[in-house]
Amino acid sequence: MRAAYSSFRHGAAVVAGLLLAGEAIAVPAPGYDLILAGGRVIDPDSGRDEIADIAIKDGRIAAISTASLGGGRRLDARNMVVAPGFIDLHAHGQDPVAERLQLLDGVTTAIDMEIGTLPVADLHARMRGKALINFGASASHICARLQVLSAKSCAQSGPHQVAADPAMLAKSADPTQERQIADLMDRDVKAGALGYGLGIEYVPGAGRREIFRIFQAAGKTGAPVFTHVRSRPLDKASGVPIAVVQEVIADAATTGASLQIVHIASTGLGDVPTLLELVKGAQAHGIDITTEAYPYTAGSTAIGSSFFSDGWEQRNGVSYEAVQWPATGERLTQATFERYRKEQPDAAVIIHVIPSDIVDLAVTDPVVSIASDGVPWTTSGEHPRGAGTFARVLGVYVRDRKLLDLKTAIAKMTIMPARRLEKISPQMARKGRLAVGADADITVFDPAKIKDSATFEKPMQASVGIRYVLVGGTLMARDGRVIDGQFPGQAIRSGLAQP
C-alpha cells in the first residue's frame, strides 16, 4: 500500500510540474465526460492557482490546461473558484438529510471519525447505492464497550451514542474487558473502519489504562486515533484542560499512534493558546498529531450525555441559560433542563460556551483543519454547523473579515484532512487535490457570494454561492439545488480491509 501511494505521489508531482507550465495532459480517449471551463483552479497540494480548464473522464481528472479544452460537455466556471471537494472528517450525520445539506455546503466526503460506529460493515451496507457523497467511519469505542460490558449493540441505541446506556458508560472495565474492547476495534479497522474513535468525555468509566490499550492497538495497525478528550477536571490546580490533552499526547508518544484531537476550541476554551503550543511542540518532536475546529461559538451534544454530569456548569464556566433547546429556541432554566434531560435524553442541545476570540484563533491557526462536528438531524433543527461550516469559513473568515487567505482556507478543508487519512486509506490519496488521476470530487464556488445561511434559530438552511459540486465526476449540485436520482457516494475504507 505504501509503495503504491508513493508511486502515485511521485507521478502526481511530475504531472503537476508539467501542468503548471500550461501543458495539457489528457488520457487517451475520444472525448471527456465533462469540462469545467475557465475557472480559477486552486490546488492546495501543488500550489497551482491559475485560470484553467479541467476535463473529467470516468470519475477522474483527465486533463488540466490553461488552453481551452474540447471534446466534452462544458460547464462555465468563469469568475468561479474551482477547488477540491471539501472533506469533513467529523460528521456524525450519515443520513440523507445531512448529506443534502453537506453537499450544498461543498462537501464531497463526510466521515464520522470522532465517535464512529461498529461494525462498520453495517454502515457500508446501509449506505451502499444510496449515498450522495462519500462516507465512512472509525471503529467506535462506545459501541465496542456496549458489546463487551452490556452485551448490546449500537443498533439498539438512539441517534446519539453518547447517551446510550449511561450505567455502562460510567462502569470501569477490568483488564480482560479492556483487551476485548481493543480487539473488537482492531477487527473493525481490519474490516474497513478508518481508525479508532474515542469520545472519552462521554465514557467517564474508561480508565487511563483502557485508553492506553487502544492507543497501543492503533500504533500496531497504523490507523489513527481520533479523540474527544476527557471531561475537564473541576480541580483548577490540575491544569484545566491541559492535563486531559497531555494524556492523549503521552499515549501517542509512547505507542507511535497517530492522533487527531477533535474540536480544539470547544475542548480548550480559554486554554486553547496553550493547547496549540502542546500540539505544535509534539509535532516538532516527531509525534504525528493534528487537530481541527468548527467556526461557531457554540457546541452541541445530547442532553442526556455525561457532558452534563454533576459540575458541568463549573467545568465550563456557564449556567443553564447557556443551553438552548433547538426545537423552540428557548434558553433553559434548571427546571426545564432537568425535565428535558429526563424525558428526552437523546435530544441534542446547543451550548453557547466558546469565546469568539478563541474560535478565531483556532480556525485561523496553520495547524488546525476545518471539520463540522455536525450532529444527526433528528428534529427540524439542531446546530447550524451541520449545514454551513465550510461556506462560513470562506464567507466570513476569508472574504468578510480577511482573517484567512483563500488558498489557506481551501487547504484546511481539503488536503489537510486528506493527508490525515491517506496513510490508512489509499482512496484518500486521490482526494483533496486537483491533479490528473485524482478523483473528480470538485467544488466550484463564487468567492464574492459564498456564505452560510444556517443560524442557531434556523439551522437547516443551505449555504449559497456554490455553483457546482461533483462527486466522482457526477454533477450532484448546481446553483444551490441537489440533482436527484444519483448516488455516486462511495465507502471510504481502511487499506487493511480485505477485498
Side-chain angles (χ1 to χ4, degrees):
M1 181 180 74
R2 290 178 179 171
Y5 168 64
S6 177
S7 176
F8 173 85
R9 291 279 292 182
H10 176 72
V14 171
V15 168
L18 291 171
L19 294 178
L20 285 171
E23 180 178 343
I25 296 180
V27 295
Y32 302 117
D33 298 327
L34 196 64
I35 297 169
L36 293 170
R40 179 185 173 188
V41 176
I42 296 180
D43 173 35
D45 191 31
S46 66
R48 174 195 295 277
D49 183 357
E50 62 186 357
I51 304 300
D53 285 5
I54 294 183
I56 296 157
K57 180 74 173 177
D58 297 331
R60 301 278 183 92
I61 294 174
I64 306 176
S65 175
T66 55
S68 180
L69 293 172
R73 175 191 174 198
R74 293 173 68 84
L75 292 179
D76 185 4
R78 288 175 298 174
N79 301 316
M80 301 289 126
V81 170
V82 182
F86 306 149
I87 299 170
D88 188 353
L89 297 187
H90 193 164
H92 300 297
Q94 307 266 335
D95 60 70
V97 175
E99 283 191 310
R100 292 179 75 88
L101 288 166
Q102 289 169 320
L103 187 63
L104 295 174
D105 200 33
V107 175
T108 57
T109 299
I111 299 173
D112 183 355
M113 289 299 297
E114 181 203 29
I115 300 297
T117 190
L118 192 148
V120 74
D122 287 356
L123 171 69
H124 294 168
R126 174 170 60 84
M127 301 284 284
R128 186 178 300 118
K130 301 176 183 178
L132 303 180
I133 59 179
N134 303 308
F135 61 93
S138 63
S140 170
H141 176 225
I142 289 176
C143 293
R145 247 182 164 255
L146 266 176
Q147 188 167 327
V148 171
L149 299 185
S150 302
K152 298 179 181 178
S153 74
C154 275
Q156 299 163 313
S157 66
H160 298 285
Q161 298 171 14
V162 297
D165 198 343
M168 177 279 296
L169 296 173
K171 182 180 178 181
S172 61
D174 62 36
T176 298
Q177 291 169 328
E178 290 171 356
R179 287 192 295 273
Q180 291 172 334
I181 291 167
D183 286 347
L184 274 176
M185 297 175 75
D186 252 359
R187 288 202 291 271
D188 221 42
V189 168
K190 293 170 184 175
L194 291 160
Y196 301 77
L198 304 180
I200 310 177
E201 178 166 14
Y202 299 111
V203 191
R208 295 180 185 273
R209 184 181 61 198
E210 178 179 338
I211 301 304
F212 177 63
R213 296 291 181 234
I214 295 168
F215 272 82
Q216 284 181 314
K220 292 175 182 176
T221 64
V225 175
F226 276 60
T227 186
H228 183 310
V229 297
R230 291 186 188 279
S231 178
R232 300 178 188 87
L234 281 173
D235 175 18
K236 299 288 184 181
S238 65
V240 182
I242 297 169
V244 296
V245 171
Q246 287 173 326
E247 175 193 5
V248 293
I249 292 177
D251 284 351
T254 53
T255 63
S258 300
L259 168 65
Q260 178 144 316
I261 297 171
V262 305
H263 51 50
I264 196 166
S266 60
T267 289
L269 303 182
D271 287 302
V272 165
T274 306
L275 299 191
L276 288 174
E277 287 186 73
L278 288 172
V279 170
K280 292 173 185 176
Q283 289 177 340
H285 288 84
I287 299 173
D288 185 7
I289 177 174
T290 50
T291 189
E292 36 104 323
Y294 50 79
Y296 295 90
T297 56
S300 180
T301 193
I303 195 170
S305 76
S306 60
F307 175 90
F308 291 111
S309 60
D310 291 346
W312 68 268
E313 308 103 297
Q314 296 94 322
R315 284 195 299 271
N316 294 282
V318 295
S319 65
Y320 291 99
E321 190 181 21
V323 183
Q324 186 174 1
W325 188 249
T328 62
E330 67 183 293
R331 296 298 186 101
L332 301 188
T333 63
Q334 182 174 356
T336 55
F337 173 86
E338 291 175 352
R339 185 175 82 246
Y340 287 138
R341 184 168 163 86
K342 179 179 179 181
E343 295 174 354
Q344 301 183 56
D346 281 339
V349 290
I350 296 167
I351 311 103
H352 295 269
V353 67
I354 314 170
S356 59
D357 62 325
I358 292 299
V359 177
D360 291 349
L361 175 64
V363 167
T364 59
D365 191 277
V367 303
V368 181
S369 61
I370 302 299
S372 73
D373 194 12
V375 297
W377 296 98
T378 56
T379 73
S380 60
E382 271 93 5
H383 197 297
R385 65 193 180 189
T389 286
F390 296 87
R392 181 172 180 80
V393 170
L394 294 168
V396 173
Y397 284 84
V398 175
R399 183 188 59 239
D400 297 345
R401 298 181 62 197
K402 297 178 173 56
L403 297 177
L404 271 177
D405 68 86
L406 181 59
K407 292 168 72 173
T408 298
I410 290 173
K412 286 172 171 281
M413 307 172 176
T414 58
I415 194 64
M416 288 175 69
R419 286 174 178 157
R420 177 72 281 180
L421 289 188
E422 63 188 23
K423 291 179 182 178
I424 190 63
S425 174
Q427 292 166 279
M428 295 304 291
R430 301 192 305 269
K431 299 187 184 298
R433 63 265 285 165
L434 297 177
V436 171
D439 290 342
D441 294 344
I442 301 174
T443 294
V444 181
F445 63 90
D446 185 338
K449 295 181 179 178
I450 191 167
K451 62 177 291 188
D452 59 311
S453 301
T455 65
F456 290 112
E457 290 69 35
K458 294 183 177 180
M460 297 180 71
Q461 309 298 312
S463 298
V464 298
I466 295 179
R467 174 67 60 84
Y468 311 117
V469 182
L470 280 67
V471 179
T474 299
L475 181 61
M476 287 301 298
R478 182 170 189 162
D479 295 325
R481 299 187 66 179
V482 174
I483 299 173
D484 292 323
Q486 305 179 122
F487 304 97
Q490 299 294 312
I492 307 299
R493 291 181 167 87
S494 154
L496 303 177
Q498 296 298 314

